[in-house]
Amino acid sequence: MSGEDTSGRSGDEPEIIESAGADEAARGELARVYAALLARAGETQVELRLDATRRACELLGDIHTAAPVITVTGTNGKTSTARMIDSIVTAHDLRVGRFTSPHLHSVTERISVDGAPVAIETFVRIFDEISAYLEIVDAELAAEGRAPLTYFEALTVLAFAVFADAPVDVVVTEVGMGGQWDSTNVADAEVCVFTRIGLDHQQFLGDTLAEIAGTKAGILDRNVDPSPAPSPVAVIAEQAEEAQTVLDAEVERRGVSALTEERNFRLLDRQRAVDGQLVTVQGLRDVYTDVFVPLHGIHQAHNAAVAIIAAEAFLGDEGKPLDLETLAEGLSRTTSPGRAELVRTGPSVVVDGAHNPDAAHVLADTLAEAFDFDYTVMVLAMLEDKDIHGVLEELHRSADAFVISETMSPRALSAETLAEAAREWVDEDSVILAADLNAALMKAIDLANAAEANSPGIVVTGSLYTVAEARLLLGRGESE
């Protein structure tokens, strides 16, 4: 999660509720539940604790231990990696519950069963069933002079309750922020996955990669007694040296088995393919050759390698490799909306939720590799608490023109401020202001169509708020 405002919404989470096909009554019930969740404190009022979430889970019958867990932390790539793990494990005939954040269009996207957002009716029913227990915990906290359950804590409890009700065979959770005190850490994961760690949320996690890595290593803690997974396996993506040094020390301190990219597994090869890429991965027990990944960019190839190893660590039995055909079938079904996603052609429009410098760097590389635009209009709208110049430093090399606008978030950065920053990186004539995102898209389409280019493209980025609004405006208001 990218940080939440005091209403409960995350900093990169749209406030739109859109559920295609749901009838008016169901949408009304979902709106009621969502409003109740949003009434709780958001992630800008961080509670450094696990006991409140644990207490609610225990009152509900230890729902956080109802199924084995795979937890994914990191800075960028968490959601895509979690979705790939889900797809691989599902293909091996296990029922998977997945909890990720933020969402694009409907809060139900955060809680997935069988690869799809949980039904509105189930979301509402389970929330109503657990509400009294949430109120008990709130009252106990109040008696101790402590804050009630936050939005994300309550949503975590709801997710575990949905998974216990289903029931599922395995839970894949994406850490909201950090790891050590993130509410998802109430569960003791059998496999603890670390995607690449970068600088983000410094106000909560620390100003250095070392500090951030130390907090994220908290997913290795055992918080259930007796633990359902006393000996976890850490699967660690390739890291900057500063972060890797900390993770190595934390793994050793806990006596945890670690599988680290380049030491224990690696991406051997990848080739561009229509609508994705073919990857070859040296796994723990076999080489998995020419596996199709329907996502773009070298970062997604590395995410796929990490997901394959996580699945191997979870599913492996006495040294038996994963079945290549089953693995390929699972990965081929992976989607990751809002991540280098092509949502329109003629001209091409790509949306990507890059909101920090690392993610912007990856986006720039992916555009150069996968889309071959010879004229690029960058539609940019960001939140006020992000590293604006860090993002612009990465994106300006890919842009022939910037169309600057604002998101609908209460924490939106003003278009004037963002445009002023953009002019420090490109010619003033290349920066155009638009009153809202709809106007920005229309202007970008005009620029792309007027360009003397064989392959013009539009890239909408800066925040998942921006992506969500653009997807709706372009008729893609449903997220898998």
Side-chain angles (χ1 to χ4, degrees):
M1 182 180 306
S2 300
E4 298 198 1
D5 63 32
T6 53
S7 71
R9 278 182 296 277
S10 85
D12 289 299
E13 173 191 333
E15 54 192 297
I16 302 162
I17 295 180
E18 182 74 21
S19 186
D23 62 32
E24 185 174 351
R27 288 197 300 269
E29 285 295 284
L30 180 60
R32 170 181 65 81
V33 169
Y34 193 40
L37 288 166
L38 293 178
R40 296 180 173 276
E43 294 298 296
T44 54
Q45 297 172 272
V46 174
E47 298 294 334
L48 306 183
R49 65 190 186 189
L50 291 176
D51 64 312
T53 305
R54 183 189 304 117
R55 173 65 172 152
C57 289
E58 289 172 346
L59 286 174
L60 288 161
D62 291 326
I63 53 175
H64 57 315
T65 66
V69 174
I70 301 170
T71 291
V72 182
T73 191
T75 301
N76 295 310
K78 298 191 302 294
T79 300
S80 295
T81 303
R83 293 177 77 105
M84 290 187 208
I85 294 170
D86 181 344
S87 295
I88 296 169
V89 175
T90 296
H92 285 79
D93 294 326
L94 292 176
R95 193 175 201 197
V96 180
R98 171 169 38 88
F99 179 48
T100 56
S101 60
H103 61 267
L104 287 176
H105 304 296
S106 172
V107 68
T108 58
E109 296 165 21
R110 287 171 167 254
I111 302 174
S112 167
V113 176
D114 297 328
V118 65
I120 289 177
E121 293 78 8
T122 301
F123 190 96
V124 170
R125 173 177 62 82
I126 299 298
F127 178 82
D128 287 341
E129 290 175 0
I130 72 171
S131 289
Y133 297 91
L134 300 181
E135 291 171 4
I136 290 171
V137 176
D138 287 342
E140 292 176 349
L141 292 167
E144 298 170 4
R146 302 168 66 197
L149 290 163
T150 67
Y151 164 80
F152 193 69
E153 287 174 327
L155 201 57
T156 301
V157 176
L158 176 58
F160 280 120
V162 168
F163 300 149
D165 178 78
V168 300
D169 300 309
V170 56
V171 172
V172 178
T173 63
E174 175 190 347
V175 168
M177 187 190 299
Q180 180 180 12
W181 35 258
D182 188 82
S183 58
T184 59
N185 203 28
V186 295
D188 284 357
E190 289 191 10
V191 180
C192 300
V193 179
F194 296 83
T195 65
R196 190 166 176 86
I197 295 170
L199 294 175
D200 203 4
H201 307 306
Q202 288 96 315
Q203 66 271 42
F204 302 112
L205 304 180
D207 294 324
T208 67
L209 288 180
E211 291 176 306
I212 295 171
T215 300
K216 292 183 184 294
I219 66 170
L220 299 170
D221 293 338
R222 303 295 86 183
N223 295 302
V224 180
D225 187 18
S227 175
S231 302
V233 175
V235 176
I236 303 173
E238 186 177 14
Q239 303 289 337
E241 182 178 357
E242 185 179 356
Q244 187 64 59
T245 298
V246 172
L247 293 180
D248 286 343
E250 293 295 327
V251 163
E252 183 177 2
R253 182 171 69 84
R254 293 174 173 85
V256 170
S257 173
L259 304 171
T260 303
E261 190 170 8
E262 295 303 322
R263 298 177 191 169
N264 307 103
F265 67 94
R266 58 175 50 87
L267 175 68
L268 294 177
D269 185 43
R270 70 187 190 97
Q271 300 177 29
R272 286 183 60 180
V274 176
D275 296 327
Q277 55 192 313
L278 297 172
V279 303
T280 297
V281 175
Q282 173 65 66
L284 305 178
R285 305 174 181 91
D286 204 352
V287 175
Y288 302 101
T289 305
D290 292 338
V291 179
F292 178 66
V293 179
L295 304 172
H296 297 289
I298 190 170
H299 64 298
Q300 295 290 19
H302 283 285
N303 289 339
V306 170
I308 289 169
I309 302 312
E312 270 197 316
F314 182 79
L315 296 169
D317 180 23
E318 298 180 356
K320 181 180 179 181
L322 299 179
D323 178 72
L324 179 59
E325 184 176 342
T326 305
L327 168 65
E329 177 189 353
L331 274 178
S332 70
R333 296 178 180 175
T334 302
T335 62
S336 196
R339 281 80 178 175
E341 179 189 17
L342 182 66
V343 294
R344 171 184 165 146
T345 56
S348 296
V349 180
V350 174
V351 297
D352 188 275
H355 61 276
N356 58 43
D358 281 354
H361 178 84
V362 166
L363 173 59
D365 285 350
T366 302
L367 292 172
E369 175 190 278
F371 292 99
D372 299 325
F373 297 149
D374 53 6
Y375 181 86
T376 303
V377 183
M378 194 77 65
V379 176
L380 187 64
M382 297 184 65
L383 301 181
E384 60 186 358
D385 60 345
K386 298 302 176 182
D387 182 355
I388 302 163
H389 284 285
V391 169
L392 285 166
E393 181 179 9
E394 300 294 344
L395 294 182
H396 84 279
R397 301 183 188 91
S398 304
D400 293 286
F402 276 101
V403 180
I404 304 296
S405 189
E406 296 179 16
T407 73
M408 295 194 297
S409 166
R411 292 170 48 232
L413 179 69
S414 75
E416 292 79 7
T417 300
L418 184 54
E420 182 179 350
R423 293 186 189 107
E424 297 184 31
W425 293 95
V426 297
D427 293 339
E428 184 171 345
D429 292 343
S430 299
V431 180
I432 300 166
L433 275 172
D436 54 44
L437 198 58
N438 185 60
L441 287 171
M442 295 302 99
K443 182 61 179 176
I445 290 170
D446 288 344
L447 289 171
N449 286 334
E452 296 181 0
N454 293 320
S455 181
I458 298 165
V459 181
V460 184
T461 189
S463 166
L464 283 176
Y465 265 113
T466 310
V467 165
E469 189 177 347
R471 288 178 100 255
L472 283 173
L473 291 168
L474 294 167
R476 295 293 294 270
E478 184 175 0
S479 180
E480 300 90 348

